[in-house]
Amino acid sequence: ATNAKHFSSLPSYSKQYSCNILARADFEPVSTRIMPMIGNIGTCPAIKMPSSHNAGDFSQFLINAKHNYSIEKEELNLRTDGHMDCNSVTEGAILICPVKVKGAGLYVGDVHAMQGNGEIAGHTTDVSAEVVLDLSLIKGLNIDGPIVLPLNRDIPPIIKLFKGTEKDQIIKLANRYDIELDIDMYPLQFIGSGKDLNEAAYNSLTRIATFFEKSVDEIKNRATITGSVDIGRLPGVVKTTLLIPGKWIKKKNVDFSSLVENKYKII
């Protein structure tokens, strides 16, 4: 911490204090894996707020606050959940962000060398980083919060694509019982946030249901048997990942559909 500028590889123009000096907690030397991810990436909210508070949990501190960033509770819907701290937002993943201001206002920050689900300590190994983004615009998609197309390594076994003999077995079983089944399903991850994990989970489920024009109960059932609800960050960011039928995706937008299909062709 006393030589943070060297060990953190801070840019020459950077002026900041190393958070290590705060000594939030001490622990014995430990081995872990370098798995870089971006904790704060997205588009500007439709209301003035610090990027660190651009989520449903941290923005609670802005409600009726005694400073210039004070907001009303109803204005929380103007956030874009850029500060999600989800470790699935890493090199090779695709992040689809809502656009709520002219020009989108894309920003990047808060890169971590590694982080497990939850950022349970309230902080992790923040590092300097160079981030290269490949950008494209999907018009008319109308989403309220971020959607992630995660890497195959970050998809739990129950959510992986059906292929080969497994796919053949499902088709055979469906035919036996005369069931129309969309065998082409894709893993999509929806970010939700709120004052606590319960509210965040419901926010993610509601976003999925609204986006695909389905009931929340159906999404709950699908997430239960073909999905996973994981903590992005305490106290209130959740990532709900589940298999979404290809026919649902095709109905949304041709650019969105192509993006999803091309992402998972290689799996």
Side-chain angles (χ1 to χ4, degrees), residues 200-212:
Y202 188 76
N203 180 236
S204 69
L205 295 169
T206 301
R207 284 175 170 175
I208 300 170
T210 301
F211 183 61
F212 289 112

Side-chain angles (χ1 to χ4, degrees), residues 12-147:
S12 58
Y13 51 82
S14 176
K15 297 183 183 300
Q16 57 185 279
Y17 293 102
S18 172
C19 65
N20 296 331
I21 296 174
L22 301 176
R24 291 283 296 274
D26 295 323
F27 55 93
E28 295 180 1
V30 61
S31 298
T32 186
R33 295 178 174 86
I34 301 295
M35 301 179 69
M37 45 82 63
I38 305 174
N40 199 342
I41 177 173
T43 51
C44 287
I47 190 173
K48 185 173 69 172
M49 65 169 55
S51 63
S52 59
H53 289 59
N54 184 19
D57 52 356
F58 289 170
S59 60
Q60 300 292 321
F61 297 107
L62 302 179
I63 298 175
N64 300 322
K66 304 299 182 182
H67 52 63
N68 292 336
Y69 291 103
S70 176
I71 63 175
E72 302 293 332
K73 184 176 181 180
E74 294 73 20
E75 293 177 309
L76 291 180
N77 291 329
L78 301 176
R79 71 185 191 274
T80 57
D81 280 351
H83 191 196
M84 61 189 103
D85 281 327
C86 291
N87 56 13
S88 54
V89 182
T90 186
E91 182 177 6
I94 293 176
L95 175 65
I96 305 172
C97 303
V99 174
K100 299 189 179 183
V101 299
K102 186 176 181 180
L106 183 69
Y107 67 90
V108 178
D110 194 24
V111 177
H112 305 156
M114 75 286 290
Q115 179 202 300
N117 284 337
E119 198 181 19
I120 199 70
H123 61 278
T124 184
T125 47
D126 292 43
V127 295
S128 298
E130 293 183 3
V131 179
V132 179
L133 304 176
D134 183 9
L135 305 178
S136 60
L137 177 65
I138 302 177
K139 295 185 177 181
L141 198 59
N142 192 25
I143 59 176
D144 184 53
I147 302 174

Side-chain angles (χ1 to χ4, degrees), residues 221-238:
N221 287 333
R222 287 181 174 272
T224 298
I225 65 173
T226 75
S228 177
V229 180
D230 300 290
I231 302 173
R233 176 189 64 236
L234 284 178
V237 176
V238 158

